[in-house]
Amino acid sequence: MKSIRGDAGAATRDVNQIRAYYEADEHSIFITFVGGLLYWCRPNGPVELLDNRSHRRQTAEGWRNTSVNGTLLSADRLSGRLLKVQMFRGAICDVRAGDYLLRKLSDQLSPEVAAAEEAERALMTAIVELMRLLTWQDFELLVDLVFSTSGWRRVSQVGRTQKTVDLELILPSTAERAFVQVKSQATSAALNDYVARLAEADAYDRMFFVWHTGDIAEESSPAGVILLGPRKLSRMVLDAGLSSWLREKVS
């Protein structure tokens, strides 16, 4: 091998790669990256020599691009510590971020990430309680700020009653127009009323129905309507960096 490669280090790496291919058992994991996704498999059985002199090994369950629980393993959700193996110019190399890889494949969180998620859930719960302390005017302003940070532009305010505030928005990148119904307290009857109004309005592509108090299920959105109740809205407030603004408003 050294006489062919002309370099002892390169020859050693080649031998190690060949041994890994032939000797890895069913407890080993092979990974690769294709089209922005991580694929993984476990080898199974001996290496076969094909008629064209190439070699092949079977996999235990085929190549997968999801975790054991079905989470898509897209590169944008993977650590750079793992992604840097894509820079390796050989066929097989060790994965130094092995512990991280195993956690991602088994949908397990590191202690640090688990602690951060717990703190985030507590903050979102607090955000909901703070939103309920806002006046209706300030709640309208908060919703306006949330949408503006998402790229929506306020065109006009078309209604102004104490517990009901309508906003008209446009998304400049697509020219999509939306009607936003903001309510401090929401009921199914009120939602149905505005769904009917949307059906009669040709000027809007969809409607957002936003509230912080009420018993409407956020997952049961009617056609053309996006429901943003306290759980979803608290996430948007957090992602928009508005938690400090909210805290100062009610303090």
Side-chain angles (χ1 to χ4, degrees):
M1 181 69 73
K2 179 180 178 181
S3 62
I4 297 175
R5 294 286 279 166
D7 178 83
T12 299
R13 289 191 294 272
D14 289 346
V15 170
N16 290 338
Q17 292 179 50
I18 293 171
R19 290 188 61 182
Y21 180 71
Y22 274 82
E23 297 177 0
D25 59 22
E26 66 275 9
H27 301 295
S28 303
I29 294 176
F30 284 91
I31 68 170
T32 190
F33 293 89
V34 179
L37 298 174
L38 181 149
Y39 287 80
W40 64 282
C41 72
R42 296 183 185 274
N44 184 43
V47 174
E48 303 174 55
L49 179 62
L50 304 181
D51 293 340
N52 61 2
R53 307 300 295 174
S54 62
H55 299 77
R56 178 178 67 185
R57 284 197 73 176
Q58 298 292 332
T59 63
E61 297 176 340
W63 286 90
R64 299 178 54 176
N65 60 11
T66 61
S67 68
V68 294
N69 291 329
T71 302
L72 188 67
L73 299 169
S74 57
D76 62 323
R77 299 178 65 86
L78 298 175
S79 169
R81 294 188 297 119
L82 178 60
L83 294 175
K84 68 181 181 180
V85 301
Q86 298 178 93
M87 303 299 293
F88 183 68
R89 296 188 177 278
I92 299 175
C93 70
D94 291 331
V95 177
R96 294 184 178 179
D99 291 342
Y100 169 80
L101 172 64
L102 293 177
R103 286 198 301 268
K104 293 299 290 188
L105 297 185
S106 58
D107 295 291
Q108 296 179 354
L109 299 177
S110 69
E112 296 83 0
V113 173
E117 287 198 353
E118 181 61 30
E120 188 176 75
R121 285 191 291 269
L123 179 54
M124 289 173 61
T125 299
I127 286 174
V128 172
E129 296 305 318
L130 292 177
M131 287 192 299
R132 290 170 176 165
L133 297 177
L134 290 171
T135 65
W136 67 268
Q137 297 98 329
D138 286 339
F139 184 52
E140 170 203 349
L141 178 56
L142 175 64
V143 173
D144 187 14
L145 291 172
V146 166
F147 276 99
S148 65
T149 60
S150 301
W152 290 90
R153 180 180 300 165
R154 182 171 178 165
V155 177
S156 65
Q157 180 176 309
V158 297
R160 196 176 184 87
T161 58
Q162 184 167 352
K163 293 187 178 181
T164 302
V165 179
D166 300 335
L167 304 175
E168 185 179 9
L169 304 177
I170 187 170
L171 191 61
S173 60
T174 63
E176 181 181 5
R177 301 182 76 89
F179 175 76
V180 184
Q181 186 63 32
V182 184
K183 280 187 169 291
S184 296
Q185 299 186 14
T187 63
S188 297
L191 172 60
N192 293 335
D193 177 45
Y194 284 98
V195 169
R197 296 189 190 188
L198 176 65
E200 299 173 354
D202 297 329
Y204 305 107
D205 299 293
R206 54 176 157 163
M207 180 182 80
F208 293 93
F209 192 83
V210 188
W211 76 99
H212 63 54
T213 301
D215 56 1
I216 301 174
E218 294 184 57
E219 292 74 22
S220 57
S221 296
V225 178
I226 297 177
L227 301 182
L228 298 178
R231 180 178 59 82
K232 292 181 181 179
L233 186 57
S234 65
R235 161 58 66 184
M236 296 176 72
V237 169
L238 181 60
D239 291 344
L242 293 169
S243 57
S244 296
W245 179 94
L246 175 59
R247 187 173 64 253
E248 292 172 358
K249 270 293 181 182
V250 300
S251 61

